[in-house]
Amino acid sequence: MNALQQLVSDWSGDRRTFQVPWGKAMMWIFLLSDTFVFGSFLVGYMVARMSTTVPWPIPSEVFALTVGGVTVPLLLIAIMTFILITSSGTMAMAVNYGYRKNRKVAAALMLATAVLGASFVGMQAFEWSKLIEDGVRPWGNPMGASQFGAAFFMITGFHGLHVSIGVILLLVVANKVRRGDYEASGDYGIVETTGLYWHFVDLVWVFIFAFFYLW
C-alpha cells in the first residue's frame, strides 16, 4: 500500500488518523480554526481601540458592582473567571476518572463542570442586562467610544455561545457515560475530546479577560 492509499485508509476508517483517534483529531482541527476566529476578533478589537479618537470606557468603572453601598471594581468578572478556572479543574478530573473507567465519578464531575458553565452564562447574561440598562448598545455607548459596545457584545457573545454549546455537550456526554454506553468498548476517549473543547473555551476567556477588563 502506497502513501496515498494509506492516507485514504486512515481518514476513511473512521477510527484513527495518524495514530490519533478520529474524534480527537477533528476536535483539534476545529479548535485550530476557532483560534483564528477569536484571534481575528481580538486583533480587530485592538485596532478599534487604538485608532479611536473618542475616550475608551474605563473597565474598572464600567464593570463595577455596588455591594453594601461599596463599589467594587470587576467583582462579577472575578467571580466569573474563578468559576471557569474551577470548571477546568473538574473537567480535568473527569478525564482522569474516565480513563480509570470509573464512569459514575466521571459523569458526576462532568455534570459539575456543566453546572459551573451554566452559572458563568447566567452571570454573563446579568452583565449584559446591566450594560444595556446603562445605555450601551452595539451601535452606541454613552460612556465613551461607540466601538466599545459593538466589540464587547460580539466577542463576549460569541464566547458565551461557545460556553453554552459546551454545557450542552457536557450534559449529553455525561449522561451517556453515566448510562454505561462506553462500557462495552472500554473507550472513554470522548471524555477527553469534550475536555479539549472545554479547556479551549476557558483559555479563550483568559485572553478576553485581559483585553476587555484589564486593558
Side-chain angles (χ1 to χ4, degrees):
M1 184 180 294
N2 59 37
L4 180 59
Q5 290 174 322
Q6 182 63 53
L7 177 64
V8 172
S9 176
D10 285 341
W11 282 77
S12 62
D14 200 31
R15 292 185 62 82
R16 287 183 175 271
T17 304
F18 306 123
Q19 304 305 312
V20 176
W22 175 263
K24 189 175 180 180
M26 292 301 98
M27 180 58 76
W28 276 115
I29 292 174
F30 167 75
L31 296 181
L32 179 61
S33 65
D34 226 22
T35 299
F36 291 129
V37 175
F38 274 109
S40 298
F41 283 170
L42 291 174
V43 169
Y45 170 79
M46 285 192 295
V47 172
R49 177 162 182 176
M50 290 186 294
S51 62
T52 183
T53 56
V54 180
W56 202 262
I58 301 173
S60 60
E61 296 178 359
V62 175
F63 302 106
L65 281 182
T66 302
V67 180
V70 178
T71 300
V72 184
L74 304 177
L75 175 61
L76 181 64
I77 312 306
I79 296 173
M80 291 167 64
T81 303
F82 175 77
I83 286 175
L84 272 193
I85 292 174
T86 302
S87 72
S88 271
T90 55
M91 188 67 239
M93 289 190 291
V95 173
N96 182 275
Y97 278 98
Y99 277 115
R100 291 184 187 181
K101 297 181 174 56
N102 189 333
R103 60 187 179 90
K104 290 185 178 180
V105 177
L109 286 167
M110 292 185 76
L111 179 60
T113 304
V115 170
L116 290 169
S119 300
F120 174 89
V121 174
M123 291 182 180
Q124 190 172 62
F126 172 78
E127 178 189 39
W128 273 39
S129 65
K130 184 175 179 295
L131 286 178
I132 292 172
E133 185 179 334
D134 291 339
V136 180
R137 300 289 188 274
W139 54 86
N141 172 30
M143 292 179 278
S146 59
Q147 296 96 323
F148 171 81
F152 176 80
F153 287 122
M154 179 182 69
I155 296 178
T156 60
F158 192 58
H159 178 263
L161 175 64
H162 278 68
V163 176
S164 300
I165 292 172
V167 169
I168 295 171
L169 179 62
L170 282 164
L171 291 174
V172 171
V173 175
N175 186 51
K176 291 172 72 67
V177 169
R178 180 191 59 81
R179 290 187 318 197
D181 290 6
Y182 308 108
E183 280 292 295
S185 64
D187 183 9
Y188 284 85
I190 184 63
V191 179
E192 182 184 8
T193 302
T194 305
L196 287 174
Y197 177 87
W198 193 256
H199 292 314
F200 171 79
V201 169
D202 291 353
L203 179 61
V204 169
W205 176 254
V206 172
F207 287 95
I208 293 175
F209 176 78
F211 277 73
F212 271 102
Y213 304 109
L214 297 183
W215 183 15

